[in-house]
Amino acid sequence: MSRSVGAHTADPCPRCLVEQVRPGSLVTVAGRDVVHYVCARCGHSWSRPVENDLEVYDTVRADLDDRTLYGAVWQVDDDRVQLRDTSSGQLLWVERWRVILY
């Protein structure tokens, strides 16, 4: 279960279960784009695939550098997604790899 930490969402490590804010990084593995994470506590690393089946009106979370944004998909391009923030209603373009489908 994720929890809110300031403007970010903290996620648990799959191994040690310690919740931390983990900004992922985009990497390519076997020709596929994935988001790579590392636990600062135990050093465990894992990845998740970049969402490639997003559709308009999907509910998503976007992990940005300055905050975590929750919203709905408004438009989808090849490498970016336009989101409508649920709290402010603001439209914002976000790199696709930062978006997690809820």
Side-chain angles (χ1 to χ4, degrees):
M1 183 77 177
S2 300
R3 66 182 172 87
S4 181
V5 177
H8 292 277
T9 297
D11 291 318
C13 168
R15 179 183 286 161
C16 70
L17 302 179
V18 169
E19 291 183 339
Q20 296 174 333
V21 174
R22 293 184 179 85
S25 60
L26 180 64
V27 297
T28 302
V29 176
R32 183 167 182 179
D33 288 339
V34 297
V35 181
H36 182 258
Y37 299 95
V38 176
C39 178
R41 181 175 177 264
C42 73
H44 178 66
S45 65
W46 68 97
S47 61
R48 67 168 175 83
V50 173
E51 303 288 352
N52 59 6
D53 60 346
L54 293 172
E55 296 181 12
V56 173
Y57 303 124
D58 279 344
T59 301
V60 295
R61 173 179 126 188
D63 292 327
L64 307 177
D65 292 334
D66 60 339
R67 69 187 188 274
T68 299
L69 176 85
Y70 293 88
V73 174
W74 219 245
Q75 291 185 51
V76 179
D77 279 356
D78 290 337
D79 60 346
R80 65 186 188 151
V81 178
Q82 188 180 39
L83 306 179
R84 178 172 290 264
D85 183 356
T86 55
S87 61
S88 71
Q90 174 186 9
L91 291 173
L92 177 70
W93 284 101
V94 177
E95 297 162 301
R96 182 186 287 264
W97 70 270
R98 295 180 178 270
V99 176
I100 300 170
L101 183 63
Y102 261 46

